[in-house]
Amino acid sequence: MPSDNRLAANKTMREARQQYAALCYRLTKTKKKTAIEVLLITSRDTGRWVTPKGWPMADKAPHEVAAQEAFEEAGIRGKVSEKPLGNFSYLKRLDNGTSVPCIVDLFPLRVRKAKSKYPEADERTRKWTSPEEAAELVQESELKTLLIDFINRLDG
């Protein structure tokens, strides 16, 4: 018979809500090599480092939602992949104070433009960093893994 903890975990996963996120990245060239930088933004509620993400939209495919959120939350325009890198989970704090488990599909988005004026510019801070540093800054362990795996995908 399954333990109470396993039953609770299974129930939580069944109740998880879907979100879509963008892993915004750019390649910077120096005289010696090309480096990968990824973009993190602060969340509005806790100020922790996150990727731009949001809820499904009726008229948009998942990768299009990720691209839309990248613009609204970070001022980023670029080419988004239709295929996610993977997914991660976290607890989303809602406006009413409760939390809901979320599963987030993460789509790579190669940055073409970073605008200084965008809808949430006054509510968030942007930070360009190496994927290794980004993995240290984010809290979600599955997102940390996706960031490190992303380096290997681009290098390989």
Side-chain angles (χ1 to χ4, degrees):
M1 177 168 253
S3 71
D4 287 344
N5 287 344
R6 281 187 45 210
L7 288 174
N10 287 338
K11 182 176 187 246
T12 298
M13 292 313 290
R14 283 194 308 268
E15 295 172 357
R17 297 190 47 199
Q18 182 70 56
Q19 287 192 313
Y20 303 113
L23 178 58
C24 304
Y25 72 98
R26 65 185 181 188
L27 303 178
T28 57
K29 294 180 183 179
T30 64
K31 291 180 181 178
K32 296 183 180 182
K33 67 175 191 168
T34 300
I36 303 164
E37 290 184 314
V38 296
L39 180 72
L40 295 179
I41 59 172
T42 53
S43 68
R44 288 188 294 190
D45 54 352
T46 64
R48 72 186 195 289
W49 292 108
V50 299
T51 56
K53 63 184 163 299
W55 304 109
M57 298 176 190
D59 60 338
K60 293 191 183 298
H63 69 285
E64 293 171 325
V65 171
Q68 179 70 32
E69 294 298 332
F71 176 72
E72 290 177 9
E73 296 181 0
I76 298 299
R77 296 279 191 207
K79 181 168 175 47
V80 65
S81 172
E82 292 183 19
K83 183 178 179 196
L85 292 170
N87 60 50
F88 65 95
S89 57
Y90 82 108
L91 282 176
K92 167 78 174 164
R93 189 177 342 168
L94 301 176
D95 291 339
N96 66 8
T98 63
S99 295
V100 61
C102 292
I103 303 291
V104 184
D105 290 344
L106 184 66
F107 294 87
L109 185 153
R110 183 155 183 185
V111 175
R112 290 192 178 135
K113 292 182 182 177
K115 303 277 190 177
S116 57
K117 293 183 182 179
Y118 53 96
E120 297 181 19
D122 295 336
E123 302 172 63
R124 300 180 186 273
T125 300
R126 298 188 292 198
K127 180 180 181 82
W128 285 103
T129 186
S130 69
E132 296 92 346
E133 183 183 357
E136 292 178 19
L137 292 172
V138 299
Q139 292 180 357
E140 300 81 10
S141 60
E142 296 158 318
L143 179 54
K144 291 175 186 287
T145 301
L146 289 171
L147 287 163
I148 298 303
D149 287 350
F150 183 63
I151 301 165
N152 298 330
R153 284 185 191 202
L154 288 182
D155 286 345

